Amino acid sequence: MTITRRSLLLRAPIAVGIIAAGLPTIARSQAASVKIRYLAGRGGISPHELADALGYFKGLGIELENVGYAGGGPESLFALASGSVDLGSAATPAVINSIAGGNDFIAAYPSNGINKDVKSVFYVLEDSPIKSIADIAGKTISVNTLGAHLDYTVREALHSVGLPPDAAKLVVVPGPQLEQTLRSRQVDVAGLGYWQATFAGALVSNGGVRGVFNDTDVLGEIAGGFVVLRRDFIAANPDAARNFVEQSARAADWSRQNPDEARKVLADVLNKRGENGDLARYWTGFGLREKAVATDHDVDFWVSILERDGRLPKGKLKAADILYRPGETKIN
């Protein structure tokens, strides 16, 4: 199958997680040197980046290499499909659609979750007439990319109040420009993803805005997206894949137990990238369950919605086909 950027944007990807246990001795002894190339997200950090910063991959033969930035999940998955990177990261519906479209990907672990503390919020200016989800019909909403988490959250929000999923107009705005476009009234609503808490914190701190709704209101507590690996990569590097996921989950747990220290690490990462490390104080965490556990519901919730909307044939995919669980996942 020919994979194009347009097909990924239309299909939108997903990926899920793994239960991280203590690192097996055999995994340490057999680990070969493996380089994992990835794209970073502006203003944020992924659990595997945190794990790398904390030195969790040392001695395990894993080397992470940041090869640039991704504008959003679909772009990340496109790069993974083309072989430009070794891992992708995208919203669950995007991952599901990418796999359904022919990409042999596996959801390695949840990159983030949404809950009462970690969420995506849709902001308006204080004097906006928009008071509820129903009011966004006909309005312009900024999102970081199309075919990903914020896009699908808006669709589901509109569906929840009986409106067509395309009742609002979505426009793509990079994270660093979200506040400017809202305050200059170029858009009616600014969607700031759970992974953009640094930008959201600055927006709220500067005043004059209010949230209308958030993704936890619409979707409940659920994994927001997944880090994705190719099936052939896991087959060729089983120990590295296991170690990568387990240590990423370990880092996520550490950040929940040590939030202030985690913000200091994030600030250092942002500064080294040439970004504004001061924004790290607004970071709210990954929102993941202990050990970055993924449940079938994290995937099947979106499968049912995609089936309902006619975007996925009924019965084509289920969580067991997508989630990486060592010892259970069929790799070959």
mmCIF file of all heavy atoms in Angstrom, residues 125-169:
data_model
loop_
_atom_site.group_PDB
_atom_site.id
_atom_site.type_symbol
_atom_site.label_atom_id
_atom_site.label_comp_id
_atom_site.label_asym_id
_atom_site.label_seq_id
_atom_site.Cartn_x
_atom_site.Cartn_y
_atom_site.Cartn_z
ATOM 1 N N LEU A 125 -11.898 33.863 24.601
ATOM 2 C CA LEU A 125 -11.662 35.111 25.312
ATOM 3 C C LEU A 125 -12.800 35.356 26.294
ATOM 4 O O LEU A 125 -13.926 34.887 26.095
ATOM 5 C CB LEU A 125 -11.550 36.270 24.325
ATOM 6 C CG LEU A 125 -10.352 36.208 23.365
ATOM 7 C CD1 LEU A 125 -10.405 37.368 22.377
ATOM 8 C CD2 LEU A 125 -9.032 36.200 24.118
ATOM 9 N N GLU A 126 -12.526 36.081 27.334
ATOM 10 C CA GLU A 126 -13.495 36.289 28.413
ATOM 11 C C GLU A 126 -14.814 36.867 27.909
ATOM 12 O O GLU A 126 -15.892 36.516 28.413
ATOM 13 C CB GLU A 126 -12.891 37.228 29.465
ATOM 14 C CG GLU A 126 -13.597 37.182 30.806
ATOM 15 C CD GLU A 126 -13.401 35.871 31.538
ATOM 16 O OE1 GLU A 126 -12.258 35.535 31.879
ATOM 17 O OE2 GLU A 126 -14.413 35.183 31.766
ATOM 18 N N ASP A 127 -14.766 37.736 26.901
ATOM 19 C CA ASP A 127 -15.987 38.374 26.409
ATOM 20 C C ASP A 127 -16.658 37.612 25.266
ATOM 21 O O ASP A 127 -17.598 38.116 24.644
ATOM 22 C CB ASP A 127 -15.699 39.810 25.959
ATOM 23 C CG ASP A 127 -14.688 39.876 24.814
ATOM 24 O OD1 ASP A 127 -14.188 38.808 24.390
ATOM 25 O OD2 ASP A 127 -14.390 40.997 24.334
ATOM 26 N N SER A 128 -16.196 36.403 24.991
ATOM 27 C CA SER A 128 -16.781 35.612 23.903
ATOM 28 C C SER A 128 -18.214 35.202 24.227
ATOM 29 O O SER A 128 -18.529 34.877 25.378
ATOM 30 C CB SER A 128 -15.944 34.356 23.661
ATOM 31 O OG SER A 128 -16.607 33.467 22.772
ATOM 32 N N PRO A 129 -19.086 35.180 23.222
ATOM 33 C CA PRO A 129 -20.463 34.716 23.443
ATOM 34 C C PRO A 129 -20.564 33.201 23.564
ATOM 35 O O PRO A 129 -21.626 32.666 23.884
ATOM 36 C CB PRO A 129 -21.204 35.222 22.204
ATOM 37 C CG PRO A 129 -20.153 35.261 21.139
ATOM 38 C CD PRO A 129 -18.894 35.692 21.848
ATOM 39 N N ILE A 130 -19.467 32.494 23.320
ATOM 40 C CA ILE A 130 -19.461 31.030 23.371
ATOM 41 C C ILE A 130 -19.455 30.584 24.835
ATOM 42 O O ILE A 130 -18.517 30.871 25.585
ATOM 43 C CB ILE A 130 -18.237 30.457 22.635
ATOM 44 C CG1 ILE A 130 -18.279 30.865 21.162
ATOM 45 C CG2 ILE A 130 -18.189 28.937 22.763
ATOM 46 C CD1 ILE A 130 -17.017 30.498 20.393
ATOM 47 N N LYS A 131 -20.513 29.880 25.231
ATOM 48 C CA LYS A 131 -20.651 29.439 26.626
ATOM 49 C C LYS A 131 -20.695 27.918 26.768
ATOM 50 O O LYS A 131 -20.521 27.396 27.867
ATOM 51 C CB LYS A 131 -21.942 30.014 27.226
ATOM 52 C CG LYS A 131 -22.094 31.526 27.107
ATOM 53 C CD LYS A 131 -21.104 32.267 27.975
ATOM 54 C CE LYS A 131 -21.373 33.777 27.939
ATOM 55 N NZ LYS A 131 -20.374 34.531 28.719
ATOM 56 N N SER A 132 -20.981 27.220 25.679
ATOM 57 C CA SER A 132 -21.165 25.769 25.764
ATOM 58 C C SER A 132 -20.723 25.113 24.461
ATOM 59 O O SER A 132 -20.425 25.799 23.467
ATOM 60 C CB SER A 132 -22.646 25.448 26.013
ATOM 61 O OG SER A 132 -23.425 25.810 24.872
ATOM 62 N N ILE A 133 -20.706 23.778 24.463
ATOM 63 C CA ILE A 133 -20.332 23.039 23.257
ATOM 64 C C ILE A 133 -21.254 23.392 22.095
ATOM 65 O O ILE A 133 -20.805 23.581 20.954
ATOM 66 C CB ILE A 133 -20.367 21.519 23.527
ATOM 67 C CG1 ILE A 133 -19.230 21.131 24.483
ATOM 68 C CG2 ILE A 133 -20.239 20.732 22.224
ATOM 69 C CD1 ILE A 133 -19.272 19.693 24.950
ATOM 70 N N ALA A 134 -22.540 23.530 22.361
ATOM 71 C CA ALA A 134 -23.493 23.845 21.292
ATOM 72 C C ALA A 134 -23.145 25.156 20.593
ATOM 73 O O ALA A 134 -23.413 25.326 19.394
ATOM 74 C CB ALA A 134 -24.907 23.903 21.851
ATOM 75 N N ASP A 135 -22.508 26.074 21.311
ATOM 76 C CA ASP A 135 -22.186 27.388 20.759
ATOM 77 C C ASP A 135 -21.007 27.373 19.793
ATOM 78 O O ASP A 135 -20.741 28.388 19.121
ATOM 79 C CB ASP A 135 -21.883 28.379 21.887
ATOM 80 C CG ASP A 135 -23.086 28.679 22.756
ATOM 81 O OD1 ASP A 135 -24.224 28.539 22.272
ATOM 82 O OD2 ASP A 135 -22.881 29.046 23.938
ATOM 83 N N ILE A 136 -20.267 26.257 19.720
ATOM 84 C CA ILE A 136 -19.101 26.243 18.828
ATOM 85 C C ILE A 136 -19.493 25.968 17.383
ATOM 86 O O ILE A 136 -18.656 26.091 16.475
ATOM 87 C CB ILE A 136 -18.029 25.223 19.279
ATOM 88 C CG1 ILE A 136 -18.521 23.793 19.100
ATOM 89 C CG2 ILE A 136 -17.596 25.492 20.718
ATOM 90 C CD1 ILE A 136 -17.446 22.736 19.408
ATOM 91 N N ALA A 137 -20.740 25.619 17.133
ATOM 92 C CA ALA A 137 -21.198 25.398 15.755
ATOM 93 C C ALA A 137 -20.993 26.669 14.938
ATOM 94 O O ALA A 137 -21.359 27.764 15.359
ATOM 95 C CB ALA A 137 -22.661 24.993 15.748
ATOM 96 N N GLY A 138 -20.363 26.511 13.783
ATOM 97 C CA GLY A 138 -20.119 27.646 12.909
ATOM 98 C C GLY A 138 -18.916 28.483 13.298
ATOM 99 O O GLY A 138 -18.593 29.463 12.621
ATOM 100 N N LYS A 139 -18.240 28.116 14.374
ATOM 101 C CA LYS A 139 -17.097 28.890 14.852
ATOM 102 C C LYS A 139 -15.776 28.271 14.377
ATOM 103 O O LYS A 139 -15.728 27.117 13.956
ATOM 104 C CB LYS A 139 -17.111 28.967 16.381
ATOM 105 C CG LYS A 139 -18.364 29.631 16.953
ATOM 106 C CD LYS A 139 -18.506 31.056 16.473
ATOM 107 C CE LYS A 139 -19.592 31.815 17.238
ATOM 108 N NZ LYS A 139 -20.936 31.257 16.966
ATOM 109 N N THR A 140 -14.711 29.063 14.471
ATOM 110 C CA THR A 140 -13.383 28.618 14.061
ATOM 111 C C THR A 140 -12.581 28.195 15.289
ATOM 112 O O THR A 140 -12.473 28.950 16.258
ATOM 113 C CB THR A 140 -12.639 29.747 13.323
ATOM 114 O OG1 THR A 140 -13.403 30.132 12.179
ATOM 115 C CG2 THR A 140 -11.273 29.270 12.854
ATOM 116 N N ILE A 141 -12.017 26.986 15.234
ATOM 117 C CA ILE A 141 -11.269 26.425 16.366
ATOM 118 C C ILE A 141 -9.863 26.071 15.915
ATOM 119 O O ILE A 141 -9.676 25.382 14.913
ATOM 120 C CB ILE A 141 -11.958 25.155 16.902
ATOM 121 C CG1 ILE A 141 -13.408 25.457 17.308
ATOM 122 C CG2 ILE A 141 -11.181 24.571 18.084
ATOM 123 C CD1 ILE A 141 -14.191 24.220 17.718
ATOM 124 N N SER A 142 -8.865 26.537 16.656
ATOM 125 C CA SER A 142 -7.485 26.190 16.322
ATOM 126 C C SER A 142 -7.108 24.873 16.986
ATOM 127 O O SER A 142 -7.451 24.616 18.139
ATOM 128 C CB SER A 142 -6.529 27.295 16.792
ATOM 129 O OG SER A 142 -6.574 27.442 18.203
ATOM 130 N N VAL A 143 -6.406 24.021 16.229
ATOM 131 C CA VAL A 143 -5.881 22.751 16.727
ATOM 132 C C VAL A 143 -4.462 22.600 16.186
ATOM 133 O O VAL A 143 -4.087 23.250 15.216
ATOM 134 C CB VAL A 143 -6.748 21.549 16.290
ATOM 135 C CG1 VAL A 143 -8.145 21.635 16.886
ATOM 136 C CG2 VAL A 143 -6.833 21.461 14.771
ATOM 137 N N ASN A 144 -3.669 21.732 16.823
ATOM 138 C CA ASN A 144 -2.277 21.606 16.393
ATOM 139 C C ASN A 144 -2.144 20.887 15.055
ATOM 140 O O ASN A 144 -1.214 21.129 14.292
ATOM 141 C CB ASN A 144 -1.453 20.869 17.454
ATOM 142 C CG ASN A 144 -1.851 19.412 17.595
ATOM 143 O OD1 ASN A 144 -3.036 19.103 17.777
ATOM 144 N ND2 ASN A 144 -0.900 18.505 17.510
ATOM 145 N N THR A 145 -3.089 19.995 14.750
ATOM 146 C CA THR A 145 -3.060 19.279 13.476
ATOM 147 C C THR A 145 -4.434 18.681 13.237
ATOM 148 O O THR A 145 -5.243 18.557 14.168
ATOM 149 C CB THR A 145 -1.981 18.170 13.479
ATOM 150 O OG1 THR A 145 -1.809 17.659 12.155
ATOM 151 C CG2 THR A 145 -2.354 17.034 14.411
ATOM 152 N N LEU A 146 -4.695 18.305 12.007
ATOM 153 C CA LEU A 146 -5.960 17.658 11.688
ATOM 154 C C LEU A 146 -5.813 16.146 11.798
ATOM 155 O O LEU A 146 -4.721 15.597 11.685
ATOM 156 C CB LEU A 146 -6.401 18.034 10.266
ATOM 157 C CG LEU A 146 -6.637 19.526 10.012
ATOM 158 C CD1 LEU A 146 -7.029 19.749 8.555
ATOM 159 C CD2 LEU A 146 -7.697 20.085 10.946
ATOM 160 N N GLY A 147 -6.930 15.457 12.019
ATOM 161 C CA GLY A 147 -6.906 14.001 12.072
ATOM 162 C C GLY A 147 -6.310 13.432 13.332
ATOM 163 O O GLY A 147 -5.915 12.265 13.361
ATOM 164 N N ALA A 148 -6.241 14.235 14.406
ATOM 165 C CA ALA A 148 -5.628 13.765 15.643
ATOM 166 C C ALA A 148 -6.556 14.041 16.824
ATOM 167 O O ALA A 148 -7.757 14.220 16.658
ATOM 168 C CB ALA A 148 -4.254 14.406 15.833
ATOM 169 N N HIS A 149 -5.994 14.091 18.042
ATOM 170 C CA HIS A 149 -6.810 14.075 19.254
ATOM 171 C C HIS A 149 -7.799 15.234 19.339
ATOM 172 O O HIS A 149 -8.988 15.021 19.623
ATOM 173 C CB HIS A 149 -5.912 14.071 20.489
ATOM 174 C CG HIS A 149 -6.656 13.986 21.779
ATOM 175 N ND1 HIS A 149 -7.189 12.794 22.254
ATOM 176 C CD2 HIS A 149 -6.985 14.927 22.701
ATOM 177 C CE1 HIS A 149 -7.801 13.014 23.411
ATOM 178 N NE2 HIS A 149 -7.697 14.303 23.693
ATOM 179 N N LEU A 150 -7.338 16.451 19.127
ATOM 180 C CA LEU A 150 -8.240 17.596 19.271
ATOM 181 C C LEU A 150 -9.331 17.568 18.203
ATOM 182 O O LEU A 150 -10.490 17.904 18.480
ATOM 183 C CB LEU A 150 -7.449 18.906 19.197
ATOM 184 C CG LEU A 150 -6.438 19.129 20.330
ATOM 185 C CD1 LEU A 150 -5.706 20.448 20.129
ATOM 186 C CD2 LEU A 150 -7.122 19.098 21.694
ATOM 187 N N ASP A 151 -8.967 17.168 17.008
ATOM 188 C CA ASP A 151 -9.933 17.025 15.917
ATOM 189 C C ASP A 151 -11.046 16.065 16.321
ATOM 190 O O ASP A 151 -12.244 16.384 16.245
ATOM 191 C CB ASP A 151 -9.187 16.516 14.677
ATOM 192 C CG ASP A 151 -10.048 16.451 13.422
ATOM 193 O OD1 ASP A 151 -11.288 16.380 13.530
ATOM 194 O OD2 ASP A 151 -9.476 16.446 12.320
ATOM 195 N N TYR A 152 -10.672 14.894 16.803
ATOM 196 C CA TYR A 152 -11.667 13.883 17.166
ATOM 197 C C TYR A 152 -12.436 14.262 18.429
ATOM 198 O O TYR A 152 -13.603 13.894 18.589
ATOM 199 C CB TYR A 152 -11.010 12.514 17.308
ATOM 200 C CG TYR A 152 -10.902 11.804 15.977
ATOM 201 C CD1 TYR A 152 -9.800 12.008 15.143
ATOM 202 C CD2 TYR A 152 -11.924 10.983 15.529
ATOM 203 C CE1 TYR A 152 -9.713 11.392 13.906
ATOM 204 C CE2 TYR A 152 -11.843 10.363 14.297
ATOM 205 C CZ TYR A 152 -10.741 10.567 13.491
ATOM 206 O OH TYR A 152 -10.669 9.964 12.247
ATOM 207 N N THR A 153 -11.794 15.001 19.330
ATOM 208 C CA THR A 153 -12.514 15.461 20.514
ATOM 209 C C THR A 153 -13.617 16.441 20.117
ATOM 210 O O THR A 153 -14.747 16.364 20.635
ATOM 211 C CB THR A 153 -11.548 16.141 21.512
ATOM 212 O OG1 THR A 153 -10.592 15.182 21.972
ATOM 213 C CG2 THR A 153 -12.311 16.689 22.715
ATOM 214 N N VAL A 154 -13.326 17.356 19.193
ATOM 215 C CA VAL A 154 -14.345 18.296 18.716
ATOM 216 C C VAL A 154 -15.482 17.547 18.042
ATOM 217 O O VAL A 154 -16.670 17.837 18.271
ATOM 218 C CB VAL A 154 -13.724 19.334 17.755
ATOM 219 C CG1 VAL A 154 -14.827 20.169 17.085
ATOM 220 C CG2 VAL A 154 -12.761 20.246 18.497
ATOM 221 N N ARG A 155 -15.156 16.567 17.222
ATOM 222 C CA ARG A 155 -16.189 15.775 16.544
ATOM 223 C C ARG A 155 -17.116 15.096 17.555
ATOM 224 O O ARG A 155 -18.342 15.120 17.424
ATOM 225 C CB ARG A 155 -15.541 14.697 15.659
ATOM 226 C CG ARG A 155 -14.798 15.208 14.447
ATOM 227 C CD ARG A 155 -14.031 14.063 13.786
ATOM 228 N NE ARG A 155 -13.261 14.502 12.645
ATOM 229 C CZ ARG A 155 -13.721 14.522 11.393
ATOM 230 N NH1 ARG A 155 -14.959 14.121 11.148
ATOM 231 N NH2 ARG A 155 -12.966 14.946 10.403
ATOM 232 N N GLU A 156 -16.506 14.502 18.561
ATOM 233 C CA GLU A 156 -17.300 13.781 19.557
ATOM 234 C C GLU A 156 -18.086 14.751 20.438
ATOM 235 O O GLU A 156 -19.208 14.449 20.864
ATOM 236 C CB GLU A 156 -16.404 12.882 20.402
ATOM 237 C CG GLU A 156 -17.134 11.808 21.198
ATOM 238 C CD GLU A 156 -17.954 10.857 20.333
ATOM 239 O OE1 GLU A 156 -17.707 10.766 19.104
ATOM 240 O OE2 GLU A 156 -18.854 10.195 20.888
ATOM 241 N N ALA A 157 -17.522 15.912 20.716
ATOM 242 C CA ALA A 157 -18.233 16.928 21.492
ATOM 243 C C ALA A 157 -19.481 17.384 20.740
ATOM 244 O O ALA A 157 -20.578 17.487 21.323
ATOM 245 C CB ALA A 157 -17.322 18.114 21.768
ATOM 246 N N LEU A 158 -19.347 17.645 19.447
ATOM 247 C CA LEU A 158 -20.490 18.060 18.637
ATOM 248 C C LEU A 158 -21.534 16.948 18.564
ATOM 249 O O LEU A 158 -22.740 17.197 18.685
ATOM 250 C CB LEU A 158 -20.014 18.445 17.232
ATOM 251 C CG LEU A 158 -19.213 19.750 17.147
ATOM 252 C CD1 LEU A 158 -18.493 19.856 15.801
ATOM 253 C CD2 LEU A 158 -20.123 20.950 17.358
ATOM 254 N N HIS A 159 -21.077 15.723 18.417
ATOM 255 C CA HIS A 159 -22.004 14.576 18.385
ATOM 256 C C HIS A 159 -22.783 14.472 19.693
ATOM 257 O O HIS A 159 -23.980 14.141 19.690
ATOM 258 C CB HIS A 159 -21.214 13.291 18.140
ATOM 259 C CG HIS A 159 -22.053 12.045 18.196
ATOM 260 N ND1 HIS A 159 -22.824 11.599 17.133
ATOM 261 C CD2 HIS A 159 -22.258 11.142 19.199
ATOM 262 C CE1 HIS A 159 -23.456 10.494 17.478
ATOM 263 N NE2 HIS A 159 -23.129 10.196 18.718
ATOM 264 N N SER A 160 -22.131 14.796 20.814
ATOM 265 C CA SER A 160 -22.763 14.654 22.126
ATOM 266 C C SER A 160 -23.935 15.613 22.312
ATOM 267 O O SER A 160 -24.792 15.385 23.163
ATOM 268 C CB SER A 160 -21.741 14.873 23.245
ATOM 269 O OG SER A 160 -21.369 16.247 23.342
ATOM 270 N N VAL A 161 -23.975 16.687 21.518
ATOM 271 C CA VAL A 161 -25.088 17.634 21.626
ATOM 272 C C VAL A 161 -25.965 17.604 20.371
ATOM 273 O O VAL A 161 -26.734 18.528 20.105
ATOM 274 C CB VAL A 161 -24.585 19.074 21.899
ATOM 275 C CG1 VAL A 161 -23.910 19.144 23.266
ATOM 276 C CG2 VAL A 161 -23.646 19.557 20.805
ATOM 277 N N GLY A 162 -25.823 16.526 19.597
ATOM 278 C CA GLY A 162 -26.700 16.318 18.447
ATOM 279 C C GLY A 162 -26.358 17.132 17.221
ATOM 280 O O GLY A 162 -27.212 17.301 16.331
ATOM 281 N N LEU A 163 -25.118 17.614 17.116
ATOM 282 C CA LEU A 163 -24.704 18.399 15.960
ATOM 283 C C LEU A 163 -23.816 17.574 15.029
ATOM 284 O O LEU A 163 -23.152 16.629 15.477
ATOM 285 C CB LEU A 163 -23.935 19.640 16.427
ATOM 286 C CG LEU A 163 -24.763 20.708 17.143
ATOM 287 C CD1 LEU A 163 -23.844 21.763 17.756
ATOM 288 C CD2 LEU A 163 -25.755 21.356 16.177
ATOM 289 N N PRO A 164 -23.764 17.913 13.735
ATOM 290 C CA PRO A 164 -22.887 17.200 12.806
ATOM 291 C C PRO A 164 -21.428 17.352 13.224
ATOM 292 O O PRO A 164 -21.036 18.406 13.756
ATOM 293 C CB PRO A 164 -23.148 17.906 11.464
ATOM 294 C CG PRO A 164 -24.458 18.579 11.620
ATOM 295 C CD PRO A 164 -24.553 18.963 13.063
ATOM 296 N N PRO A 165 -20.589 16.347 13.006
ATOM 297 C CA PRO A 165 -19.191 16.413 13.434
ATOM 298 C C PRO A 165 -18.382 17.504 12.746
ATOM 299 O O PRO A 165 -17.319 17.896 13.235
ATOM 300 C CB PRO A 165 -18.644 15.024 13.105
ATOM 301 C CG PRO A 165 -19.569 14.488 12.063
ATOM 302 C CD PRO A 165 -20.902 15.053 12.372
ATOM 303 N N ASP A 166 -18.882 18.001 11.610
ATOM 304 C CA ASP A 166 -18.165 19.052 10.898
ATOM 305 C C ASP A 166 -18.822 20.422 11.075
ATOM 306 O O ASP A 166 -18.617 21.345 10.282
ATOM 307 C CB ASP A 166 -18.066 18.711 9.408
ATOM 308 C CG ASP A 166 -19.436 18.532 8.750
ATOM 309 O OD1 ASP A 166 -20.458 18.541 9.474
ATOM 310 O OD2 ASP A 166 -19.479 18.366 7.516
ATOM 311 N N ALA A 167 -19.592 20.571 12.139
ATOM 312 C CA ALA A 167 -20.320 21.829 12.369
ATOM 313 C C ALA A 167 -19.403 22.996 12.727
ATOM 314 O O ALA A 167 -19.797 24.156 12.606
ATOM 315 C CB ALA A 167 -21.361 21.641 13.474
ATOM 316 N N ALA A 168 -18.194 22.708 13.183
ATOM 317 C CA ALA A 168 -17.222 23.758 13.489
ATOM 318 C C ALA A 168 -16.084 23.681 12.471
ATOM 319 O O ALA A 168 -15.819 22.620 11.898
ATOM 320 C CB ALA A 168 -16.674 23.603 14.898
ATOM 321 N N LYS A 169 -15.410 24.801 12.249
ATOM 322 C CA LYS A 169 -14.285 24.846 11.309
ATOM 323 C C LYS A 169 -12.979 24.753 12.078
ATOM 324 O O LYS A 169 -12.712 25.560 12.966
ATOM 325 C CB LYS A 169 -14.314 26.146 10.498
ATOM 326 C CG LYS A 169 -13.160 26.264 9.505
ATOM 327 C CD LYS A 169 -13.187 27.596 8.770
ATOM 328 C CE LYS A 169 -12.002 27.713 7.811
ATOM 329 N NZ LYS A 169 -11.998 29.029 7.120
#
